[in-house]
Amino acid sequence: ANANVLGELAMAWVWGDAGVVPVPAPVAESALCRHSGFWGTAWCLIYQTMALLTDVTCFLYSLLPGFSTGKSHGKPHWTQIFLRCTVSEFLELYPQHASLLPDTFSFYALLLWIFALLLLSRQLLLSLRRGLRRSPEVLFFPDPSGVHVRHLCHLLRQSRKRMWIAMFTLTDDVLSQEILNAWERKVDVKVILDDEQYAVLGADGARLVEKGVPVVLDAHEARMHHKFAVLDDCVVTGSFNWTKQASMSNWENLCILRDPLAVSPFAMEFQKLWRAFTDRTDRGLRGRDIRMPSPKGAVHRKRYGTPPR
């Protein structure tokens, strides 16, 4: 029935001496959507929605004052050709179909439909953005250009909630400064270091302690050989120590993971180590309360033997 009504309303326009003359144009009945399958139906829905938006835009524009009389050089205004006819012309030609004109309910229903489409589009874009942001990255060293270290510094600067670092060796002053900057930004900064590497020449652990950054040492026969950092919702891990030698000379790798399924285990492991190493020391070795070992007094253990149980 709807197809028959639309066939009656279909109009064609031809040019003549008197301007534009309406001529009925037969329209064959056809299904609303000729496509099948999920993607075909989705494309059909998008196409029909855009057509609906075009029709409503034309209708609203036709209500503007002076639309019916707008002419240029004796020819009809371009909007009249594009919009086919005005509301008054429609009612004059087809008074029996006045009910087809949009009423208040239809207008607000259309606005609600457009709002729903915009909301759905926003959610799809956000999901796509999150998917792209979760894509992993792999950096390889040595990198004499310093691009990879700058990228790591960028990740450290972006941290706003937490910066949990478990690092075997920390001697790179640039990365240590980024840790201090995060601490000044009130980020939850916690650092776990190997006790022997804490005391080597050029180590930056004592520098962090002097600024009040919470630092914990492993204080164990075995090495704390982790090299990872939990930065908000991502984790950086690999063979890469935060040293100049690692970035400029050694063959190393650094993986940047953003999948929550990968970040969560690292965060849990860090909290586990933090509790274990805190309980194992006198007062947690936090901030200025730490009793910093000096390089001369560092304890040298047989790290390559089997540690006692």
Side-chain angles (χ1 to χ4, degrees), residues 143-213:
D143 177 37
S145 66
V147 173
H148 294 340
V149 172
R150 286 197 295 271
H151 185 45
L152 178 57
C153 290
H154 177 69
L155 294 176
L156 295 174
R157 294 190 199 104
Q158 286 185 322
S159 298
R160 292 295 181 268
K161 297 182 296 183
R162 61 183 178 181
M163 184 181 293
W164 299 347
I165 302 172
M167 192 59 50
F168 178 63
T169 307
L170 177 62
T171 61
D172 192 321
D173 294 340
V174 174
L175 298 176
S176 298
Q177 184 60 49
E178 293 296 340
I179 298 174
L180 292 176
N181 294 341
W183 175 250
E184 294 176 357
R185 294 195 306 268
K186 309 301 181 182
V187 179
D188 180 19
V189 179
K190 295 178 181 177
V191 181
I192 300 176
L193 300 173
D194 181 81
D195 54 354
E196 287 189 359
Q197 294 299 315
Y198 174 90
V200 299
L201 183 64
D204 291 332
R207 176 187 173 193
L208 300 180
V209 170
E210 291 175 359
K211 297 296 183 179
V213 178

Side-chain angles (χ1 to χ4, degrees), residues 261-273:
L261 296 178
V263 177
S264 180
F266 278 96
M268 294 175 60
E269 177 66 14
F270 183 91
Q271 292 175 321
K272 175 183 175 182
L273 294 175

Side-chain angles (χ1 to χ4, degrees), residues 51 103 229 247 277 298:
D103 54 8
S247 61
F277 295 156

Side-chain angles (χ1 to χ4, degrees), residues 3 23 129:
V23 177
R129 181 183 177 185

Side-chain angles (χ1 to χ4, degrees), residues 195 198-199 205-206 209-210 213 215-219 278 280-295 297-299:
D195 54 354
Y198 174 90
V209 170
E210 291 175 359
V213 178
V215 176
V216 164
L217 308 182
D218 64 327
T278 299
R280 192 174 293 147
T281 52
D282 294 335
R283 288 170 295 183
L285 300 179
R286 294 171 180 248
R288 293 183 180 276
D289 196 35
I290 189 174
R291 294 186 296 179
M292 298 177 292
S294 62
V299 179

